Amino acid sequence: GFFLEPHLPEGLDGEESALQSKRILHACDYESSAKFQDQTVAIVGSSFSGMEIAADVCSTAKRVVHVVSSVPWVIPRYVPCTLDDDSRNSIILPVDLALYRRTKDAPEIPESLLMSPEMCRKRHESLHSMVGKRQEQSPLGIPRNWDEPPMVAISDYYLDLLIQGDIEVVHGRLQGLSQDGATWNVKSPTGQSISLDGIDTLICATGYKTNLDRILHPDIAQTLEYDPKDLFSPMSLCWDTMHPKLPNLFFCGMYRGPYMGVMEQQGRLAAGVLSGRIQLEESVMVGALEESKQIRKQKSRPQFPHFDYVGFMDTLNELQGTDFPTANTKKGDMVGPAFYQSTDEQLVEQELKELEKQLEWGEDGSRIPSIVLSAIIGEWNFDRRIVHFSDNREEHVYGTVKYSRPILDYVLYREDGLYELTPTKTLNVFREYEYQVAGDCLEIYFVEQEERAHLFLSLKFSMKEGDFWVATSDHLCIKDLYKARFELSLDGLTATHLKITYRVKGPTKDYE
């Protein structure tokens, strides 16, 4: 398979003793954070597993260092997505539905093979609008050259932990161990040498390589132009499926990318050709093989060889000579594998209903609590006005609020402020709450003596009101009714404005 053999950075060649002593691990050997209690851990690699391991190991390691040679856009599993040209009409969708949408009316043929600088910039701009300024203001930063293909990594918590200082980022490429075996050397983008001391364990999230030498005859490997060192595209194949000189050999899923739907299409294509039902012209095969070579030769490689997922699916479907999908064929429509099941209308209808549910959940606010918890991580200035309606008296409290994740399950609210007794006299005040997602609600708990106490509020977000996601909750405390209103505006995944209002009314209380 494509992910058969762990790949280690070149700088680790000859470090057998470190590998045997488990000072060096590959991501495939990572099971949980429990083995790294109180260790200093360095993670190498800036793709999916690198981000997830860095976030996970924070729960036990005393120090986490993340070495990144490139900067991806880091996005969670659910992201804001605009379905029309008005950015204010964004909803929250699973990331695959947000990214795998038609860029034009169907069919998207031919598949886009090479990413032009203009196409790169548009993709960077789209991802930047999705993330907002949150990543830009973090130690990771954002990609610098938008003329090159963007990379994406998916993690719900990485940026949270990075922003609050639990993860240290080192920009550069690992070079190897020092002669005394005590220091890891990293070469920065500017050519400077960076030393990492005191690293107990190095975890390499640096991908995998194929090992088809075990099963392919050397003559076949030569025909395929097979290169086991090429982690991007190790063979020259028509549609990553077949070769015109090897009519009885087919590959399914032997390419790097999000390929569940593609694997099914490749399998059907292979079955059709082997059975004689599908006859492919030689000129078509030769052209497809040349396109494969173009993909392999490009200097600025995208994250995946077939980055145009929808175009690749449409192309494979056309080759089979079957009816083209009739569902979700317009620009902006979301695409799923079931739409290519031309003979199973029930399955297509089922996927359409599932997509409708996803759209409903994206609009009704049920996915906002988890977005909120990440968006508010960091330090805020607050200004609170307390208005007593009974005597028209006003009190003033101001200071800072810090939102942090002591553990991944909840966010701690810590407020340190000054209560203004008179224009010239103030009193130091503080308070703490714990915020936690519970189903489609955001629950807020009192914290007393550094321990979670009883529930204060359970906030349920409704549909957007203008630029704001709004949640409300009523809470009866003995004879006093607390009405809470939580308003949050988002720039992508970045919180730009937060307003919390409490209206309290009871026998002896009447203030806001």
Side-chain angles (χ1 to χ4, degrees):
F2 198 84
F3 303 109
L4 175 69
E5 187 172 310
H7 169 72
L8 295 174
E10 292 182 3
L12 298 186
D13 294 343
E15 303 294 352
E16 288 82 4
S17 60
L19 286 164
Q20 291 173 1
S21 65
K22 299 298 183 183
R23 285 186 59 199
I24 301 175
L25 295 177
H26 189 269
C28 66
D29 298 314
Y30 183 89
E31 296 175 349
S32 75
S33 61
K35 295 181 179 180
F36 306 95
Q37 186 72 42
D38 298 326
Q39 286 192 18
T40 296
V41 180
I43 298 96
V44 180
S46 53
S47 194
F48 297 84
S49 56
M51 297 290 172
E52 285 290 75
I53 290 174
D56 187 65
V57 79
C58 279
S59 61
T60 57
K62 67 180 179 182
R63 181 185 173 207
V64 177
V65 181
H66 191 193
V67 181
V68 297
S69 59
S70 60
V71 177
W73 293 101
V74 185
I75 54 180
R77 290 173 297 167
Y78 292 89
V79 296
C81 176
T82 302
L83 299 182
D84 53 32
D85 294 330
D86 190 345
S87 61
R88 294 172 299 178
N89 297 332
S90 63
I91 64 174
I92 309 300
L93 289 177
V95 65
D96 56 335
L97 297 184
L99 296 180
Y100 300 147
R101 296 162 57 199
R102 293 197 174 277
T103 58
K104 61 182 180 181
D105 290 353
E108 290 193 35
I109 297 174
E111 168 198 1
S112 296
L113 299 174
L114 305 177
M115 201 176 289
S116 68
E118 181 183 4
M119 191 182 300
C120 291
R121 287 192 293 271
K122 286 183 178 181
R123 294 201 170 206
H124 278 289
E125 288 168 3
S126 176
L127 291 164
H128 189 228
S129 66
M130 185 181 292
V131 174
K133 294 183 179 180
R134 192 163 180 261
Q135 179 174 333
E136 188 173 353
Q137 296 168 347
S138 77
L140 180 65
I142 60 175
R144 293 183 179 181
N145 189 352
W146 287 20
D147 287 341
E148 293 185 351
M151 305 293 172
V152 172
I154 299 175
S155 175
D156 287 341
Y157 303 117
Y158 178 85
L159 283 181
D160 297 6
L161 299 171
L162 179 66
I163 289 169
Q164 69 186 36
D166 290 354
I167 298 173
E168 304 171 34
V169 168
V170 175
H171 292 272
R173 190 173 294 276
L174 188 72
Q175 298 297 297
L177 268 172
S178 59
Q179 290 185 352
D180 60 6
T183 303
W184 288 103
N185 298 316
V186 176
K187 186 176 182 180
S188 76
T190 59
Q192 294 178 323
S193 180
I194 303 172
S195 298
L196 301 180
D197 299 316
I199 303 298
D200 298 306
T201 304
L202 182 83
I203 302 175
C204 298
T206 46
Y208 297 81
K209 54 188 177 182
T210 57
N211 197 345
L212 295 177
D213 304 87
R214 299 179 182 180
I215 60 173
L216 293 180
H217 188 278
D219 292 343
I220 294 177
Q222 185 176 2
T223 299
L224 296 172
E225 299 177 334
Y226 173 60
D227 180 3
K229 295 181 179 180
D230 189 343
L231 308 187
F232 178 72
S233 182
M235 295 180 288
S236 296
L237 290 168
C238 304
W239 313 288
D240 273 336
T241 307
M242 56 196 295
H243 194 285
K245 294 183 179 180
L246 302 168
N248 296 320
L249 180 63
F250 294 82
F251 296 86
C252 295
M254 275 298 296
Y255 90 102
R256 183 181 181 184
Y259 45 66
M260 295 305 175
V262 170
M263 284 177 66
E264 187 174 44
Q265 296 273 59
Q266 289 176 318
R268 288 181 180 176
L269 177 61
V273 173
L274 286 170
S275 67
R277 183 181 64 82
I278 298 175
Q279 301 287 335
L280 297 174
E281 296 181 6
E282 183 179 356
S283 60
V284 174
M285 297 276 285
V286 171
L289 189 63
E290 183 58 35
E291 290 175 346
S292 175
K293 294 178 181 180
Q294 289 180 27
I295 290 174
R296 299 183 71 188
K297 291 178 182 178
Q298 59 186 317
K299 292 183 179 180
S300 296
R301 290 178 160 186
Q303 190 165 10
F304 305 112
H306 295 277
F307 61 88
D308 182 7
Y309 174 71
V310 177
F312 195 27
M313 291 282 282
D314 283 358
T315 298
L316 290 170
N317 183 81
E318 182 186 51
L319 290 168
Q320 298 168 50
T322 56
D323 293 336
F324 197 81
T326 57
N328 285 26
T329 59
K330 299 298 182 181
K331 179 181 178 180
D333 284 349
M334 291 169 281
V335 175
F339 296 151
Y340 295 85
Q341 300 277 3
S342 58
T343 59
D344 195 336
E345 295 182 2
Q346 186 176 357
L347 188 61
V348 173
E349 189 63 30
Q350 181 180 340
E351 176 144 358
L352 286 171
K353 290 180 180 179
E354 288 295 325
L355 288 179
E356 282 298 319
K357 288 182 182 178
Q358 295 296 333
L359 291 172
E360 290 175 11
W361 293 334
E363 292 177 331
D364 65 11
S366 60
R367 289 175 175 152
I368 284 295
S370 60
I371 299 289
V372 167
L373 288 194
S374 289
I376 60 179
I377 293 292
E379 289 195 5
W380 295 70
N381 294 322
F382 79 89
D383 189 278
R384 183 180 300 122
R385 300 283 175 172
I386 305 172
V387 180
H388 295 268
F389 296 103
S390 58
D391 55 7
N392 292 321
R393 180 168 49 90
E394 186 173 298
E395 297 173 284
H396 185 206
V397 185
Y398 58 93
T400 60
V401 167
K402 182 178 181 180
Y403 288 99
S404 62
R405 287 189 186 270
I407 61 174
L408 298 183
D409 291 340
Y410 69 89
V411 165
L412 177 66
Y413 169 107
R414 167 77 189 202
E415 171 188 314
D416 291 280
L418 295 173
Y419 176 79
E420 200 173 78
L421 297 171
T422 69
T424 59
K425 189 175 182 180
T426 59
L427 177 68
N428 290 328
V429 295
F430 84 94
R431 68 174 64 184
E432 291 183 332
Y433 297 108
E434 287 184 5
Y435 288 34
Q436 186 170 22
V437 175
D440 60 355
C441 295
L442 177 62
E443 293 186 341
I444 302 178
Y445 291 85
F446 288 105
V447 174
E448 298 175 359
Q449 298 179 346
E450 299 184 354
E451 296 288 338
R452 177 182 291 189
H454 55 280
L455 179 67
F456 176 38
L457 294 169
S458 181
L459 295 162
K460 187 175 178 63
F461 286 86
S462 59
M463 298 179 72
K464 288 182 73 175
E465 296 182 10
D467 293 334
F468 290 88
W469 287 97
V470 178
T472 57
S473 176
D474 294 346
H475 168 71
L476 186 63
C477 181
I478 308 177
K479 295 182 179 180
D480 301 319
L481 180 62
Y482 286 73
K483 286 182 174 290
R485 181 179 172 89
F486 191 105
E487 301 177 27
L488 180 76
S489 63
L490 292 168
D491 174 17
L493 292 164
T494 305
T496 57
H497 181 83
L498 175 61
K499 182 179 180 181
I500 305 174
T501 305
Y502 299 106
R503 180 69 171 92
V504 184
K505 193 171 181 62
T508 60
K509 298 180 181 179
D510 188 10
Y511 65 87
E512 181 176 285

